Amino acid sequence: SDLFPSHDTPPWLMGYLIGNGRLSGGLGVSTASTEAVERIMKEVSLIKCSIVKSGKYDYRIRSEVSHKDNVVLREIRKMGLSGLRSYEKFIPEEYLNAKKPERIELLKGLMDSDGTSAKNGALQYSTSSQKLAHNVQYLVRSLGGICRISVRKEPRYTYRGEVRKGRPNYILSVIMDDPSACRLS
């Protein structure tokens, strides 16, 4: 994009895709947030892509010109993110060490996808990827914030009436001096 010339994919969109995107098969997101869909539409239109509804809450990102020239998918592949499962995700070095305005937008995208507000006013970010948890902690600290990681080692969930053991869940508590550096839509 023109605003962030060092990347083919705008940092907010990359953060949102890392946090909530489907990076294997067709590129897309699953969200019930109309604000997120509107922001994605704005971001992808800057790079000649579009977002198409493919299910109740599922959306695909595709090139307006050709399916073969999807710049977002090309960037996902170039960064080594293509095909990763949620517990394998990470922030590529190029985004993690970008200029401050780009890192702020990246953090906003991550928080808009998987962030929540805690009762004490702090923000929380949750992921099943240990590497992504440490990347987000580094990102927050690089922006002057404080970030603590706690781990739920054996979360449980119910699938079709059966209680199953999940992957470890990394919960990050985030405090930023500058609230504009990290917002939830």
Side-chain angles (χ1 to χ4, degrees):
S1 85
D2 295 336
L3 185 58
F4 302 111
S6 58
H7 304 294
D8 289 337
T9 302
W12 179 90
L13 181 58
M14 181 60 78
Y16 197 87
L17 288 172
I18 290 169
N20 196 22
R22 184 180 62 250
L23 305 179
S24 57
L27 183 62
V29 296
S30 182
T31 183
S33 167
T34 55
E35 294 89 2
V37 172
E38 288 170 7
R39 177 75 190 258
I40 294 167
M41 288 172 61
K42 177 183 161 195
E43 297 286 323
V44 298
S45 69
L46 294 173
I47 51 177
K48 305 221 178 357
C49 284
S50 61
I51 184 168
V52 180
K53 193 166 188 171
S54 60
K56 187 172 183 179
Y57 299 116
D58 296 328
Y59 300 85
R60 294 178 65 99
I61 297 171
R62 64 180 192 194
S63 175
E64 291 178 354
V65 181
S66 157
H67 290 294
K68 295 177 184 173
D69 191 35
N70 184 330
V71 293
V72 181
L73 185 55
R74 188 172 60 228
E75 181 108 352
I76 292 291
R77 287 181 179 140
K78 182 175 92 178
M79 298 293 165
L81 294 166
S82 180
L84 296 184
R85 297 181 183 238
S86 58
Y87 60 88
E88 299 171 316
K89 291 181 179 181
F90 63 93
I91 300 173
E93 288 286 324
E94 292 87 340
Y95 284 86
L96 197 57
N97 296 309
K99 293 179 181 176
K100 186 175 182 179
E102 295 180 42
R103 286 181 285 130
I104 289 170
E105 286 299 305
L106 177 69
L107 182 58
K108 287 177 181 179
L110 287 160
M111 293 303 292
D112 285 347
S113 66
D114 280 337
T116 58
S117 294
K119 291 178 184 175
N120 65 1
L123 297 173
Q124 289 187 332
Y125 182 81
S126 178
T127 180
S128 60
S129 169
Q130 183 178 23
K131 185 172 184 178
L132 180 56
H134 290 288
N135 287 164
V136 172
Q137 183 179 51
Y138 174 89
L139 179 63
V140 167
R141 290 177 175 173
S142 79
L143 294 169
I146 298 168
C147 184
R148 182 179 54 85
I149 300 174
S150 59
V151 183
R152 281 185 48 208
K153 294 186 182 199
E154 294 188 20
R156 306 267 181 214
Y157 66 97
T158 304
Y159 179 74
R160 295 186 179 183
E162 176 187 340
V163 176
R164 295 184 176 186
K165 179 181 167 192
R167 295 189 175 276
N169 186 32
Y170 301 88
I171 303 161
L172 290 74
S173 297
V174 177
I175 299 171
M176 298 295 290
D177 284 336
D178 178 6
S180 68
C182 185
R183 72 161 192 317
L184 295 169
S185 293

